[in-house]
Amino acid sequence: MSTGGGRVFETTAETFDRDVLKAQVPTVVDFYANWCQPCKMLSPILAKAVEKDGRVNLAMLNVDEHVELARDYQITSLPTVIAFRDGKPVNSFMGLRPPNLIEQFVKDTVDE
């Protein structure tokens, strides 16, 4: 697996530890569901911000397929986005945000 940022990929309960908690670069996790319309709007904005920044990865996690992991992170609303650095959650938001705020969220994941 590449150690650089800017990657967008699907993660699962089985790969979450490796993909997110043990990642060598900060990773933003997009907790989503296929039926969630705001999720469908947010995901491409997040992907673009991560690819533009290049220092952070984006892991997409379908909460309907991985209910136990969503429960572990107390996901009660969709979309929910959590930024992880060094295996720990460092920032989060719920709901759709404008692109400029998402870009700032991604930047802050590395810079804080």
Side-chain angles (χ1 to χ4, degrees):
M1 180 172 286
S2 170
T3 58
R7 293 179 55 243
V8 178
F9 56 91
E10 194 78 23
T11 192
T12 66
E14 294 76 28
T15 61
F16 190 83
D17 190 58
R18 179 195 70 212
D19 291 343
V20 178
L21 301 181
K22 293 181 180 172
Q24 296 184 18
V25 296
T27 302
V28 171
V29 180
D30 179 9
F31 292 87
Y32 76 95
N34 290 330
W35 50 262
C36 169
Q37 206 55 40
C39 298
K40 291 178 183 182
M41 295 165 61
L42 177 65
S43 293
I45 298 169
L46 265 173
K48 185 176 178 182
V50 163
E51 290 166 352
K52 179 180 175 182
D53 184 274
R55 301 173 296 163
V56 177
N57 287 332
L58 173 61
M60 311 287 293
L61 184 92
N62 185 324
V63 298
D64 287 335
E65 295 174 4
H66 305 286
V67 175
E68 65 289 335
L69 199 51
R71 192 176 307 123
D72 290 347
Y73 286 97
Q74 301 174 356
I75 306 304
T76 58
S77 181
L78 294 177
T80 294
V81 177
I82 303 176
F84 289 81
R85 191 172 56 236
D86 300 321
K88 296 177 179 64
V90 294
N91 202 355
S92 66
F93 69 86
M94 287 186 278
L96 189 58
R97 299 278 171 96
N100 63 316
L101 293 182
I102 292 171
E103 286 179 14
Q104 188 63 49
F105 176 85
V106 169
K107 184 179 182 304
D108 290 348
T109 299
V110 176
D111 293 343
E112 283 188 351

